[in-house]
Amino acid sequence: MNQDSARVQALRGVVERVTAWQETAPEGTIRDELDKALREAGVTLTEEQTALVTEKISHQEEVDVDLLADHSGEGGPA
């Protein structure tokens, strides 16, 4: 598995984990859980990306993980 595939897989797991039980939580809780899940997965996102993912989960909108992972220069590796 190359680094891009690993990043997509890790990001997908993070988003699914946080979305699964945080859809009705306040944004602050979602952000805290997202930050924790990203750390545990060894993936980083920019502040803007993290804020966008938090907002989308909070509003029960789909997160485009593939697009998010495509901007690997803006976040860290998996």
Side-chain angles (χ1 to χ4, degrees):
M1 177 178 298
N2 67 31
Q3 187 173 5
D4 291 338
S5 296
R7 181 172 170 77
V8 169
Q9 185 175 6
L11 284 170
R12 185 166 285 119
V14 166
V15 169
E16 288 174 359
R17 170 183 161 181
V18 176
T19 300
W21 59 278
Q22 291 296 333
E23 288 180 340
T24 59
E27 276 193 29
T29 301
I30 293 170
R31 175 60 187 258
D32 291 345
E33 291 301 322
L34 179 59
D35 288 340
K36 179 181 174 186
L38 288 168
R39 274 192 313 277
E40 289 175 4
V43 179
T44 59
L45 297 175
T46 65
E47 177 59 35
E48 292 80 18
Q49 290 171 319
T50 305
L52 176 65
V53 172
T54 300
E55 182 179 332
K56 286 193 171 284
I57 292 172
S58 176
H59 291 102
Q60 299 182 8
E61 297 174 2
E62 184 176 341
V63 176
D64 188 340
V65 175
D66 294 319
L67 180 62
L68 193 62
D70 280 346
H71 296 98
S72 60
E74 296 174 18

